[in-house]
Amino acid sequence: MKIIKYLMVICALCAFTLVSITDAQAKKKPDGKVYMFGFSASFTDSLIYFTDIQVVDSAKIDPKTHFLQNRNIYAQQLQDYFSANMQANRVCIVMYALSQSEAEKKYLKMRRIYTKETNGRYDVRYLTLNEFRFNPIPTYF
């Protein structure tokens, strides 16, 4: 009789734990809002470009890898901007975070690398929101 009571208590605790974990995971899902900025460099000159940190509302994050889906398309948007402005041979990347503070940390770290730690080797320039803005990518699934 005691064993049955212990088993019932253990089953109840396991069920409670499972519900708690599932609820906590449901709260951690991103709501589609991503903070991102772009970075562009070239192997042929010393110009480095940073975009402002921007909010993209309809971005999708892969639930397993936590990577920004279609990040290559966001980087291509920045590449297209430079191609239209006669700077076609640039390498463009996109950095992102789920919170404004995390995005600012990444932005400041990258900016510090190319301004302070290189002793002025690079000509760092900034693209404002009026000059360049990421367009949301529609998803059909």
PDB file of all heavy atoms in Angstrom, residues 1 13-17 21-22 24 28 34 42 85 98 100 103-104 122 124 126:
ATOM      1  N   MET A   1       0.807  -1.181   0.000  1.00  0.00           N
ATOM      2  CA  MET A   1       0.000   0.000   0.000  1.00  0.00           C
ATOM      3  C   MET A   1       0.863   1.263   0.000  1.00  0.00           C
ATOM      4  O   MET A   1       0.535   2.231  -0.677  1.00  0.00           O
ATOM      5  CB  MET A   1      -0.906  -0.049   1.240  1.00  0.00           C
ATOM      6  CG  MET A   1      -2.099   0.802   1.149  1.00  0.00           C
ATOM      7  SD  MET A   1      -3.152   0.212  -0.153  1.00  0.00           S
ATOM      8  CE  MET A   1      -4.596   1.009   0.274  1.00  0.00           C
ATOM      9  N   LEU A  13       4.397  14.443  -9.087  1.00  0.00           N
ATOM     10  CA  LEU A  13       5.542  15.351  -9.186  1.00  0.00           C
ATOM     11  C   LEU A  13       6.099  15.402 -10.600  1.00  0.00           C
ATOM     12  O   LEU A  13       6.447  16.468 -11.106  1.00  0.00           O
ATOM     13  CB  LEU A  13       6.627  14.950  -8.194  1.00  0.00           C
ATOM     14  CG  LEU A  13       6.340  15.250  -6.725  1.00  0.00           C
ATOM     15  CD1 LEU A  13       7.442  14.679  -5.844  1.00  0.00           C
ATOM     16  CD2 LEU A  13       6.205  16.744  -6.516  1.00  0.00           C
ATOM     17  N   CYS A  14       6.177  14.249 -11.247  1.00  0.00           N
ATOM     18  CA  CYS A  14       6.670  14.206 -12.635  1.00  0.00           C
ATOM     19  C   CYS A  14       5.737  14.971 -13.560  1.00  0.00           C
ATOM     20  O   CYS A  14       6.193  15.723 -14.438  1.00  0.00           O
ATOM     21  CB  CYS A  14       6.816  12.760 -13.101  1.00  0.00           C
ATOM     22  SG  CYS A  14       8.193  11.904 -12.329  1.00  0.00           S
ATOM     23  N   ALA A  15       4.442  14.800 -13.382  1.00  0.00           N
ATOM     24  CA  ALA A  15       3.473  15.511 -14.214  1.00  0.00           C
ATOM     25  C   ALA A  15       3.581  17.022 -13.988  1.00  0.00           C
ATOM     26  O   ALA A  15       3.549  17.816 -14.931  1.00  0.00           O
ATOM     27  CB  ALA A  15       2.065  15.014 -13.922  1.00  0.00           C
ATOM     28  N   PHE A  16       3.695  17.434 -12.723  1.00  0.00           N
ATOM     29  CA  PHE A  16       3.840  18.857 -12.407  1.00  0.00           C
ATOM     30  C   PHE A  16       5.116  19.427 -13.025  1.00  0.00           C
ATOM     31  O   PHE A  16       5.112  20.522 -13.586  1.00  0.00           O
ATOM     32  CB  PHE A  16       3.842  19.057 -10.888  1.00  0.00           C
ATOM     33  CG  PHE A  16       4.043  20.474 -10.482  1.00  0.00           C
ATOM     34  CD1 PHE A  16       3.024  21.406 -10.619  1.00  0.00           C
ATOM     35  CD2 PHE A  16       5.265  20.903  -9.974  1.00  0.00           C
ATOM     36  CE1 PHE A  16       3.214  22.724 -10.260  1.00  0.00           C
ATOM     37  CE2 PHE A  16       5.462  22.216  -9.611  1.00  0.00           C
ATOM     38  CZ  PHE A  16       4.432  23.131  -9.757  1.00  0.00           C
ATOM     39  N   THR A  17       6.220  18.689 -12.939  1.00  0.00           N
ATOM     40  CA  THR A  17       7.490  19.128 -13.521  1.00  0.00           C
ATOM     41  C   THR A  17       7.385  19.253 -15.034  1.00  0.00           C
ATOM     42  O   THR A  17       7.862  20.224 -15.629  1.00  0.00           O
ATOM     43  CB  THR A  17       8.621  18.150 -13.143  1.00  0.00           C
ATOM     44  OG1 THR A  17       8.674  18.031 -11.726  1.00  0.00           O
ATOM     45  CG2 THR A  17       9.952  18.637 -13.669  1.00  0.00           C
ATOM     46  N   ILE A  21       7.957  22.714 -17.150  1.00  0.00           N
ATOM     47  CA  ILE A  21       8.984  22.834 -18.188  1.00  0.00           C
ATOM     48  C   ILE A  21       8.348  23.249 -19.508  1.00  0.00           C
ATOM     49  O   ILE A  21       8.850  24.124 -20.208  1.00  0.00           O
ATOM     50  CB  ILE A  21       9.767  21.511 -18.330  1.00  0.00           C
ATOM     51  CG1 ILE A  21      10.630  21.281 -17.099  1.00  0.00           C
ATOM     52  CG2 ILE A  21      10.616  21.509 -19.595  1.00  0.00           C
ATOM     53  CD1 ILE A  21      11.279  19.910 -17.049  1.00  0.00           C
ATOM     54  N   THR A  22       7.233  22.642 -19.866  1.00  0.00           N
ATOM     55  CA  THR A  22       6.553  22.980 -21.111  1.00  0.00           C
ATOM     56  C   THR A  22       6.091  24.427 -21.098  1.00  0.00           C
ATOM     57  O   THR A  22       6.220  25.142 -22.083  1.00  0.00           O
ATOM     58  CB  THR A  22       5.351  22.039 -21.336  1.00  0.00           C
ATOM     59  OG1 THR A  22       5.799  20.700 -21.269  1.00  0.00           O
ATOM     60  CG2 THR A  22       4.701  22.302 -22.673  1.00  0.00           C
ATOM     61  N   ALA A  24       7.429  26.896 -19.354  1.00  0.00           N
ATOM     62  CA  ALA A  24       8.607  27.756 -19.428  1.00  0.00           C
ATOM     63  C   ALA A  24       9.145  27.825 -20.849  1.00  0.00           C
ATOM     64  O   ALA A  24       9.569  28.880 -21.317  1.00  0.00           O
ATOM     65  CB  ALA A  24       9.693  27.250 -18.484  1.00  0.00           C
ATOM     66  N   LYS A  28       9.543  31.174 -23.708  1.00  0.00           N
ATOM     67  CA  LYS A  28      10.825  31.569 -24.287  1.00  0.00           C
ATOM     68  C   LYS A  28      10.776  31.728 -25.802  1.00  0.00           C
ATOM     69  O   LYS A  28      11.729  32.171 -26.395  1.00  0.00           O
ATOM     70  CB  LYS A  28      11.902  30.536 -23.936  1.00  0.00           C
ATOM     71  CG  LYS A  28      12.298  30.549 -22.491  1.00  0.00           C
ATOM     72  CD  LYS A  28      13.414  29.575 -22.242  1.00  0.00           C
ATOM     73  CE  LYS A  28      13.841  29.598 -20.797  1.00  0.00           C
ATOM     74  NZ  LYS A  28      14.929  28.680 -20.548  1.00  0.00           N
ATOM     75  N   VAL A  34      13.084  41.033 -33.967  1.00  0.00           N
ATOM     76  CA  VAL A  34      14.523  40.822 -33.924  1.00  0.00           C
ATOM     77  C   VAL A  34      15.201  42.173 -34.088  1.00  0.00           C
ATOM     78  O   VAL A  34      14.767  43.002 -34.890  1.00  0.00           O
ATOM     79  CB  VAL A  34      14.965  39.846 -35.037  1.00  0.00           C
ATOM     80  CG1 VAL A  34      16.459  39.774 -35.140  1.00  0.00           C
ATOM     81  CG2 VAL A  34      14.396  38.476 -34.802  1.00  0.00           C
ATOM     82  N   SER A  42      35.449  45.373 -47.151  1.00  0.00           N
ATOM     83  CA  SER A  42      35.974  45.021 -48.463  1.00  0.00           C
ATOM     84  C   SER A  42      37.429  44.595 -48.307  1.00  0.00           C
ATOM     85  O   SER A  42      38.148  45.099 -47.444  1.00  0.00           O
ATOM     86  CB  SER A  42      35.884  46.219 -49.408  1.00  0.00           C
ATOM     87  OG  SER A  42      36.500  45.913 -50.643  1.00  0.00           O
ATOM     88  N   ASN A  85      25.218  51.626 -55.157  1.00  0.00           N
ATOM     89  CA  ASN A  85      26.046  52.812 -54.896  1.00  0.00           C
ATOM     90  C   ASN A  85      27.485  52.624 -55.365  1.00  0.00           C
ATOM     91  O   ASN A  85      28.411  53.203 -54.807  1.00  0.00           O
ATOM     92  CB  ASN A  85      26.014  53.155 -53.408  1.00  0.00           C
ATOM     93  CG  ASN A  85      24.671  53.680 -52.998  1.00  0.00           C
ATOM     94  OD1 ASN A  85      24.078  54.484 -53.683  1.00  0.00           O
ATOM     95  ND2 ASN A  85      24.163  53.207 -51.872  1.00  0.00           N
ATOM     96  N   LEU A  98      17.712  38.973 -29.894  1.00  0.00           N
ATOM     97  CA  LEU A  98      16.292  39.018 -29.565  1.00  0.00           C
ATOM     98  C   LEU A  98      15.936  40.173 -28.646  1.00  0.00           C
ATOM     99  O   LEU A  98      14.768  40.439 -28.415  1.00  0.00           O
ATOM    100  CB  LEU A  98      15.857  37.693 -28.937  1.00  0.00           C
ATOM    101  CG  LEU A  98      15.995  36.466 -29.835  1.00  0.00           C
ATOM    102  CD1 LEU A  98      15.593  35.203 -29.090  1.00  0.00           C
ATOM    103  CD2 LEU A  98      15.180  36.626 -31.098  1.00  0.00           C
ATOM    104  N   GLN A 100      17.099  44.369 -27.375  1.00  0.00           N
ATOM    105  CA  GLN A 100      17.823  45.590 -27.732  1.00  0.00           C
ATOM    106  C   GLN A 100      19.187  45.626 -27.044  1.00  0.00           C
ATOM    107  O   GLN A 100      20.196  45.980 -27.651  1.00  0.00           O
ATOM    108  CB  GLN A 100      16.995  46.813 -27.329  1.00  0.00           C
ATOM    109  CG  GLN A 100      17.661  48.143 -27.583  1.00  0.00           C
ATOM    110  CD  GLN A 100      17.572  48.588 -29.019  1.00  0.00           C
ATOM    111  OE1 GLN A 100      16.684  48.178 -29.741  1.00  0.00           O
ATOM    112  NE2 GLN A 100      18.496  49.420 -29.427  1.00  0.00           N
ATOM    113  N   ALA A 103      21.690  43.263 -28.728  1.00  0.00           N
ATOM    114  CA  ALA A 103      22.097  43.810 -30.020  1.00  0.00           C
ATOM    115  C   ALA A 103      23.105  44.944 -29.819  1.00  0.00           C
ATOM    116  O   ALA A 103      24.093  45.051 -30.555  1.00  0.00           O
ATOM    117  CB  ALA A 103      20.887  44.297 -30.809  1.00  0.00           C
ATOM    118  N   GLU A 104      22.875  45.790 -28.828  1.00  0.00           N
ATOM    119  CA  GLU A 104      23.804  46.884 -28.551  1.00  0.00           C
ATOM    120  C   GLU A 104      25.168  46.365 -28.103  1.00  0.00           C
ATOM    121  O   GLU A 104      26.195  46.922 -28.480  1.00  0.00           O
ATOM    122  CB  GLU A 104      23.215  47.818 -27.497  1.00  0.00           C
ATOM    123  CG  GLU A 104      22.076  48.652 -28.020  1.00  0.00           C
ATOM    124  CD  GLU A 104      21.378  49.458 -26.943  1.00  0.00           C
ATOM    125  OE1 GLU A 104      21.726  49.320 -25.741  1.00  0.00           O
ATOM    126  OE2 GLU A 104      20.464  50.226 -27.300  1.00  0.00           O
ATOM    127  N   TYR A 122      41.227  51.490 -40.215  1.00  0.00           N
ATOM    128  CA  TYR A 122      40.010  51.433 -41.011  1.00  0.00           C
ATOM    129  C   TYR A 122      39.276  52.766 -40.957  1.00  0.00           C
ATOM    130  O   TYR A 122      39.271  53.451 -39.947  1.00  0.00           O
ATOM    131  CB  TYR A 122      39.080  50.318 -40.517  1.00  0.00           C
ATOM    132  CG  TYR A 122      39.688  48.957 -40.641  1.00  0.00           C
ATOM    133  CD1 TYR A 122      40.198  48.296 -39.527  1.00  0.00           C
ATOM    134  CD2 TYR A 122      39.765  48.316 -41.870  1.00  0.00           C
ATOM    135  CE1 TYR A 122      40.758  47.033 -39.636  1.00  0.00           C
ATOM    136  CE2 TYR A 122      40.328  47.063 -41.997  1.00  0.00           C
ATOM    137  CZ  TYR A 122      40.816  46.426 -40.877  1.00  0.00           C
ATOM    138  OH  TYR A 122      41.377  45.190 -40.993  1.00  0.00           O
ATOM    139  N   VAL A 124      35.870  53.950 -40.668  1.00  0.00           N
ATOM    140  CA  VAL A 124      34.564  53.434 -40.264  1.00  0.00           C
ATOM    141  C   VAL A 124      33.506  54.483 -40.559  1.00  0.00           C
ATOM    142  O   VAL A 124      33.629  55.635 -40.163  1.00  0.00           O
ATOM    143  CB  VAL A 124      34.559  53.071 -38.759  1.00  0.00           C
ATOM    144  CG1 VAL A 124      33.197  52.577 -38.333  1.00  0.00           C
ATOM    145  CG2 VAL A 124      35.624  52.030 -38.467  1.00  0.00           C
ATOM    146  N   TYR A 126      29.029  55.079 -40.985  1.00  0.00           N
ATOM    147  CA  TYR A 126      27.768  54.592 -40.456  1.00  0.00           C
ATOM    148  C   TYR A 126      26.633  54.926 -41.418  1.00  0.00           C
ATOM    149  O   TYR A 126      26.567  56.028 -41.946  1.00  0.00           O
ATOM    150  CB  TYR A 126      27.490  55.212 -39.080  1.00  0.00           C
ATOM    151  CG  TYR A 126      28.602  54.914 -38.099  1.00  0.00           C
ATOM    152  CD1 TYR A 126      29.642  55.824 -37.894  1.00  0.00           C
ATOM    153  CD2 TYR A 126      28.636  53.712 -37.419  1.00  0.00           C
ATOM    154  CE1 TYR A 126      30.674  55.532 -37.016  1.00  0.00           C
ATOM    155  CE2 TYR A 126      29.662  53.417 -36.535  1.00  0.00           C
ATOM    156  CZ  TYR A 126      30.678  54.333 -36.346  1.00  0.00           C
ATOM    157  OH  TYR A 126      31.693  54.036 -35.489  1.00  0.00           O
TER     158      TYR A 126
END
